[in-house]
Amino acid sequence: LAIGTGAYNYRVAKLLEMERLRVRIASDLHDDIGSSLSSIALITDMVCKHLPPEQQDRQFLSDASRAARHTADALKDIVWLVKPEHEKLEDIVLRMKDSAAKLLIGIEYTFSCPEDGLSIPLDMEFRRHLLLIYKEILNNISKHSRASRVEICVMQENHIFCLRVSDNGIGFDEAAVERGNGLNNLRKRTADIRGTIQITSQPGQGTTIIIKAKPIAMAAEKMPTVRTHS
């Protein structure tokens, strides 16, 4: 019994050590690389302001600033996913609300979700794919749909997670964009979480995308949580 207890305690200690290392690396990435990317974006923005509008280099700098900000945002998502305190479904829902506010600027939107049933812990890969799927949908709406209104609904029925996003934009003929990277990425990531995707769209009639998947819970043997401060 003593040997078994000692072996278990040693394993838990190793798992805690690995988790602390993971959190520390994530924090370092956020502090160092994230800060550098933000500085690059600010510097390029300042240079752009001093260039005439017709200057071709102005567009190059604008693209560089946009790329730096996009990479910084992606890094924030990675750091957020790695931290163990963000393991529950309710955490990913809160993150989705924040992303909607950032990605749908100038577009009226609603976000609805149940108040209960969101406390189950999720596998990190499931959370990662779900967040990327969601942001891909909102990015497509912001860039291509010309929508003035978006409805986002998150729900869970019979242990099945469902994400429904509808917009009143210009829509598209799915057959005509079958080979597009955006839709292919959505299908691939949905398959990675063993889910289903339904895309309903017609020119001039908006688009509705429904993602359904059974949440992948974390292992039953869960190590103690390491708390961190942002």
Side-chain angles (χ1 to χ4, degrees):
L1 181 61
I3 292 173
T5 302
Y8 174 79
N9 289 337
Y10 175 79
R11 182 169 183 271
V12 170
K14 283 296 183 183
L15 289 173
L16 280 171
E17 183 181 347
M18 291 178 62
E19 186 165 346
R20 290 191 185 98
L21 177 61
R22 184 181 71 176
V23 172
R24 189 163 63 249
I25 291 173
S27 298
D28 290 344
L29 283 172
H30 180 269
D31 294 341
D32 296 337
I33 301 178
S35 178
S36 297
L37 288 169
S38 297
S39 296
I40 292 172
L42 288 173
I43 292 171
T44 51
D45 286 344
M46 291 177 62
V47 175
C48 278
K49 290 180 180 179
H50 292 84
L51 292 177
E54 66 277 4
Q55 180 99 17
Q56 187 176 14
D57 292 340
R58 183 187 179 97
Q59 184 61 47
F60 293 150
L61 289 171
S62 179
D63 292 342
S65 175
R66 191 180 303 110
R69 294 183 191 280
H70 175 77
T71 306
D73 287 340
L75 179 60
K76 288 180 182 178
D77 286 339
I78 293 172
V79 173
W80 184 88
L81 287 167
V82 165
K83 289 186 175 180
E85 61 262 38
H86 300 147
E87 65 188 20
K88 294 181 180 179
L89 185 54
E90 61 186 347
D91 298 316
I92 195 75
V93 168
L94 290 175
R95 188 70 175 183
M96 292 166 74
K97 288 182 178 180
D98 291 341
S99 296
K102 294 177 181 178
L103 297 175
L104 297 178
I105 297 176
I107 301 176
E108 181 183 351
Y109 72 91
T110 59
F111 191 111
S112 61
C113 67
E115 296 182 357
D116 53 5
L118 299 176
S119 61
I120 60 172
L122 300 178
D123 175 79
M124 187 170 67
E125 279 298 291
F126 182 89
R127 288 182 286 131
R128 183 174 72 89
H129 285 299
L130 180 59
L131 185 60
L132 290 173
I133 287 170
Y134 176 73
K135 294 185 74 172
E136 179 82 28
I137 293 173
L138 296 195
N139 270 314
N140 287 340
I141 292 174
S142 178
K143 293 179 180 178
H144 308 298
S145 73
R146 302 180 195 172
S148 60
R149 180 173 177 81
V150 177
E151 295 181 359
I152 304 167
C153 179
V154 173
M155 60 187 133
Q156 183 175 307
E157 296 180 352
N158 299 322
H159 305 291
I160 300 297
F161 175 87
C162 178
L163 168 65
R164 183 179 186 272
V165 183
S166 299
D167 69 68
N168 65 347
I170 60 175
F172 60 90
D173 181 357
E174 188 178 352
V177 295
E178 188 68 27
R179 299 179 182 274
N181 289 332
L183 295 182
N184 285 340
N185 286 339
L186 289 178
R187 292 191 176 94
K188 182 181 183 303
R189 292 195 183 279
T190 303
D192 287 338
I193 59 174
R194 302 176 185 176
T196 61
I197 180 171
Q198 177 185 345
I199 302 174
T200 305
S201 183
Q202 292 184 7
Q205 298 186 22
T207 301
T208 297
I209 298 179
I210 301 175
I211 306 287
K212 292 184 178 181
K214 185 174 182 179
I216 303 174
M218 297 180 66
E221 184 183 35
K222 185 178 180 298
M223 68 181 104
T225 300
V226 176
R227 291 295 173 186
T228 61
H229 299 281
S230 301

